[in-house]
Amino acid sequence: MLQTHTQHEIMKSGIMQEVDEATLRKFLRARDLDIEKASVMLIKYMAWRRKFVPRGSISASEAPNHIAHNKVFMQGTDKRGCPVALVFGAKHFPSKGTYEELKRYAVFGLDKICSRIPYGEEKFTIIVDLEGFGYFNSVVRGYIAVLSILQDYYPERLKKLFFVHVSYVFMTAWKLVYPFVDKNTRKRSFSTSHKL
């Protein structure tokens, strides 16, 4: 059997012992079952996880400013038992906390919601309530960072992303972010009350 360079790297690195079969399937589906692309994505994920989350999880003490805003809540489950998170966009204050802390907070929250996914399910839903959202809550660089983390390192986890009480300010910012959203993520995961 002929192995590609990427497949050889995976076998040599020991990643296969660290990743379960369900995770491998998620990475394959995220890259339309293209083994090469999925392998590259998986290797990138493992390297990122070792560097960004070296202790295996982000603690609340690593993102205190964002946690203090009380902007994300776990809200039970949908009909299939998948967890639902509610995000209040107007409680996001970019001036309080650093860009790196925002990324740690995103991983903290994503790990928390993933830990609530029941056996046999793989996805979660996020509802973003934008009531009261204004210019001072908006940070395009932060949106792109959080979306990159979600689609690159938590593939095939997002079931739906709903935006409610969408403001003009948010739609303007969203139009800047939208080109950075992976086509698979766009196609399968996003719902808004406005056409983009």
Side-chain angles (χ1 to χ4, degrees), residues 15-135:
I15 287 174
M16 295 305 288
Q17 288 81 29
E18 296 178 42
V19 180
D20 63 6
E21 191 174 317
T23 300
L24 292 173
R25 281 194 307 266
K26 283 188 279 277
F27 279 88
L28 275 168
R29 282 195 314 265
R31 293 296 172 250
D32 298 323
L33 302 180
D34 183 311
I35 293 172
E36 284 298 312
K37 289 179 182 177
S39 299
V40 169
M41 186 182 192
L42 179 62
I43 289 170
K44 181 180 169 189
Y45 162 76
M46 294 300 293
W48 168 82
R49 191 81 190 177
R50 285 184 188 125
K51 181 179 178 186
F52 198 77
V53 192
R55 291 182 301 281
S57 66
I58 300 287
S59 70
S61 65
E62 294 178 80
N65 294 304
H66 291 281
I67 289 172
H69 296 162
N70 289 322
K71 57 186 163 187
V72 178
F73 296 90
M74 303 301 162
Q75 286 303 124
T77 62
D78 65 11
K79 291 178 183 179
R80 292 188 60 169
C82 299
V84 176
L86 181 57
V87 178
F88 292 99
K91 291 187 175 189
H92 175 67
F93 301 104
S95 62
K96 298 179 180 175
T98 65
Y99 175 69
E100 286 302 312
E101 185 182 344
L102 175 62
K103 293 193 305 186
R104 287 192 302 272
Y105 181 66
V107 172
F108 175 81
L110 289 167
D111 282 351
K112 289 286 184 200
I113 197 166
C114 286
S115 72
R116 297 173 50 128
I117 297 173
Y119 181 79
E121 293 295 335
E122 295 182 333
K123 299 183 183 251
F124 55 80
T125 297
I126 298 175
I127 302 168
V128 181
D129 186 343
L130 296 164
E131 186 170 9
F133 182 89
Y135 178 74

Side-chain angles (χ1 to χ4, degrees), residues 126-190:
I126 298 175
I127 302 168
V128 181
D129 186 343
L130 296 164
E131 186 170 9
F133 182 89
Y135 178 74
F136 57 91
N137 304 111
S138 183
V139 57
V140 171
R141 181 178 176 215
Y143 300 151
I144 292 170
V146 171
L147 281 168
S148 292
I149 289 169
L150 178 64
Q151 63 193 18
D152 295 343
Y153 306 126
Y154 295 84
E156 297 296 309
R157 287 294 200 174
L158 184 63
K159 184 176 181 180
K160 286 286 182 185
L161 175 62
F162 295 101
F163 295 104
V164 296
H165 303 118
V166 177
S167 68
Y168 176 77
V169 172
F170 176 78
M171 286 309 297
T172 302
W174 184 247
K175 285 180 182 178
L176 295 172
V177 172
Y178 195 72
F180 295 97
V181 179
D182 180 81
K183 73 173 179 67
N184 286 335
T185 305
R186 279 186 216 169
K187 173 175 66 174
R188 298 177 187 163
S189 305
F190 287 87

